[in-house]
Amino acid sequence: MAPLIYVMAILGCGDDGAACTRERVAPMRYQSVAACQAAMPAILARNTDLSYPVISASCERGGQFVVENATRAAPRQG
């Protein structure tokens, strides 16, 4: 069984903090939710370039995000 990892999704939100859109996933992986949350202020400070009134983050299990990002980054064959 693979070890559980967490990733931090960077979200762009409207003024009310609702209707957030996942804009990117921070490149770091964390061994626990607590470690991810502890890193959140520094990561958010590095992602102020997004054009949203509110920038937020969410720590989530990394498996699905890692697969999605690898699929998007893979060059197309053909």
Side-chain angles (χ1 to χ4, degrees), residues 8-28:
M8 188 181 312
I10 308 301
L11 310 170
C13 306
D15 284 325
D16 60 358
C20 297
T21 303
R22 185 183 312 128
E23 290 298 312
R24 54 182 73 138
V25 175
M28 299 293 297

Side-chain angles (χ1 to χ4, degrees), residues 7 30 35 53 71 77:
V7 295
Y30 304 94
T71 302
Q77 301 290 329

Side-chain angles (χ1 to χ4, degrees), residues 22-77:
R22 185 183 312 128
E23 290 298 312
R24 54 182 73 138
V25 175
M28 299 293 297
R29 294 184 181 146
Y30 304 94
Q31 297 300 315
S32 68
V33 172
C36 180
Q37 291 172 337
M40 207 175 275
I43 298 294
L44 284 172
R46 285 184 256 163
N47 284 279
T48 58
D49 62 316
L50 296 173
S51 297
Y52 287 90
V54 177
I55 305 299
S56 184
S58 174
C59 295
E60 302 177 16
R61 280 193 253 177
Q64 186 63 35
F65 288 119
V66 172
V67 169
E68 287 175 7
N69 286 340
T71 302
R72 285 187 207 144
R76 292 188 173 188
Q77 301 290 329

